[in-house]
Amino acid sequence: MKFLVYSHLCGLAVLSTTIASAAPLTLHPKTSPLPTERQGPFIHLSDNRFMTAEGVSMATSADGGKTWKEKAIIAPGVSFDISRERTLLRTKEGTILLACMNLKERVWNWNSKINEAGPGTRLPTYLLCVPDEGVRWEGPKLMHEEWTGAVRDMIQMTNGRIVFVSQYLAPNPSRHVTVTYSSDDDGRTWKRSNVIDLGGHGHHDGAIEGTLEQLNDGRVRMLLRTTYGAFWDAISEDGIYWTTIRKSNIPAATAPAILQRVGSGRLVLVWNRPYPEGKTEYKLQGGKGAWAERPAPNHRGELSIAFSEDDGKGWSKPVVIARQPGASLAYPYVFESEPGNLWITTMQGGIRLQLKEADFFVK
């Protein structure tokens, strides 16, 4: 498969006619650039506008992402900066929910002599709510004080329950554990789940950076980033408590995925596989408790996509949609801008592309 080669000049993806000394970014030829350089995540508003949020503002587009209007959602004088790792949801009732970390409160105090987080280490998780599509933002509401590595995903179940996934850095030994928050009243009040703890030791170890989706039988499935060369599955019968936690059959680098149901009814998965396509090994990172307790594949030079028609029991053949050896094309988001058209963006690597589902669902 031949790939198109792009370079990024002034924030725009353009076809490159020269090869730089560093590995160029190559995109699958059946993809095309987005009309925006905004990262996302994105949601649909009731009047067909798109919305995202960053910094202290929300941004809306009425022309498919070509131009954007910004409006502050943080009150003047409030020290707040929306993290680049965030999640947005528009509920069935029309409420918009934003979960994120506040970068203004970021304190990183890692003791490298003992590989433990020191006193005062914190990056809290917050929830912001607006019941009227941007007119009156409420919050930020503190969910927990501890260091949060990432907030990646939020869904609304068919019964109306809202669930979003977060995490925090637990001590002695320092490692990440995952929790979810659920709401049955459109985001006004929240219930915290049991803790998912896979053990480990290090500032990038543990149960980390989950993504979740409801299955057709009503259960909720979560895929967790780990250092085991594969995602771990967590299953909840009710979206509140997680009762089945086990290693999945999806090979993965130690990087997060996005799992999402699209309009066709299929599940789509975008993630970093543990090895370059066609290879069976890749250099490992970590060990000895600093980055992670065990060496793990941290291959992020390729971003892949796959689809499932049976709720994740089986997946289509993965397709590499972006490649840049030595780079980090990671932390993806998926947005279905119109039926069958998917926007793929990443927090790391600056991927901004769109593709047709029909071109990439390969049985």
Side-chain angles (χ1 to χ4, degrees):
M1 175 67 70
K2 294 183 178 179
F3 279 69
L4 299 180
V5 180
Y6 288 84
S7 62
H8 285 269
L9 303 176
C10 301
L12 299 176
V14 296
L15 188 63
S16 174
T17 57
T18 61
I19 302 297
S21 57
L25 171 65
T26 58
L27 303 179
H28 192 286
K30 290 186 177 180
T31 68
S32 60
L34 289 183
T36 180
E37 282 293 302
R38 291 184 181 271
Q39 173 192 297
F42 304 96
I43 58 173
H44 291 275
L45 299 182
S46 60
D47 57 4
N48 296 318
R49 290 179 299 159
F50 300 166
M51 178 194 156
T52 188
E54 57 188 53
V56 296
S57 302
M58 61 178 284
T60 57
S61 174
D63 56 9
K66 297 182 182 69
T67 61
W68 296 81
K69 293 182 179 180
E70 293 199 7
K71 177 182 178 180
I73 60 177
I74 304 298
V78 176
S79 182
F80 205 92
D81 186 7
I82 297 167
S83 59
R84 296 184 68 199
E85 295 153 321
R86 55 204 178 221
T87 182
L88 270 173
L89 176 73
R90 181 180 180 273
T91 72
K92 298 172 185 177
E93 293 77 11
T95 298
I96 297 171
L97 300 171
L98 167 65
C100 63
M101 297 93 77
N102 180 14
L103 297 182
K104 291 291 188 180
E105 295 182 74
R106 183 184 189 274
V107 178
W108 181 244
N109 185 19
W110 184 261
N111 186 332
S112 59
K113 293 181 179 179
I114 59 173
N115 292 327
E116 290 291 331
T121 297
R122 66 192 301 268
L123 182 55
T125 290
Y126 284 91
L127 193 287
L128 291 90
C129 171
V130 56
D132 43 24
E133 296 201 346
V135 178
R136 296 179 295 106
W137 280 86
E138 300 172 357
K141 176 181 175 62
L142 178 66
M143 307 304 289
H144 63 246
E145 289 269 4
E146 298 95 331
W147 176 275
T148 304
V151 177
R152 295 281 302 143
D153 207 358
M154 177 161 36
I155 63 168
Q156 185 168 26
M157 300 172 62
T158 54
N159 65 4
R161 179 167 293 153
I162 301 159
V163 186
F164 83 86
V165 57
S166 186
Q167 63 187 53
Y168 63 87
L169 192 60
N172 303 317
S174 288
R175 80 280 182 200
H176 292 273
V177 299
T178 287
V179 293
T180 60
Y181 293 91
S182 60
S183 174
D184 289 323
D185 55 10
D186 212 38
R188 288 184 287 275
T189 62
W190 295 86
K191 183 179 183 67
R192 182 162 153 168
S193 72
N194 55 312
V195 174
I196 300 175
D197 187 354
L198 300 181
H201 185 195
H203 49 63
H204 278 73
D205 209 347
I208 188 170
E209 297 171 344
T211 180
L212 69 171
E213 188 55 83
Q214 187 173 22
L215 304 178
N216 288 323
D217 63 8
R219 298 178 302 158
V220 179
R221 182 184 188 185
M222 178 160 51
L223 294 179
L224 291 161
R225 169 185 167 182
T226 74
T227 56
Y228 291 96
F231 294 122
W232 276 56
D233 266 324
I235 301 294
S236 174
E237 299 290 335
D238 56 10
I240 301 176
Y241 298 110
W242 301 89
T243 55
T244 303
I245 303 166
R246 61 195 175 199
K247 190 176 182 180
S248 80
N249 60 358
I250 304 174
T254 178
I258 197 73
L259 175 69
Q260 188 168 314
R261 194 176 300 279
V262 291
S264 66
R266 298 183 182 116
L267 292 177
V268 59
L269 181 68
V270 181
W271 84 112
N272 303 104
R273 288 187 276 168
Y275 317 117
E277 191 166 60
K279 305 292 185 181
T280 58
E281 60 181 27
Y282 188 77
K283 62 184 178 181
L284 302 181
Q285 180 174 341
K288 300 183 180 180
W291 188 81
E293 186 174 37
R294 67 185 60 79
N298 194 27
H299 173 238
R300 300 183 178 188
E302 292 176 349
L303 191 67
S304 297
I305 191 169
F307 296 87
S308 176
E309 290 191 302
D310 58 8
D311 257 8
K313 298 180 182 69
W315 293 90
S316 63
K317 181 180 178 181
V319 178
V320 175
I321 55 176
R323 177 178 290 128
Q324 190 174 21
S328 182
L329 312 178
Y331 291 81
Y333 292 104
V334 174
F335 173 62
E336 191 168 16
S337 61
E338 57 186 67
N341 191 71
L342 305 182
W343 288 17
I344 311 293
T345 61
T346 62
M347 187 273 286
Q348 291 184 0
I351 299 299
R352 306 288 186 269
L353 63 81
Q354 57 188 324
L355 56 84
K356 300 294 184 184
E357 179 183 351
D359 289 336
F360 289 83
F361 175 61
V362 181
K363 291 187 178 180

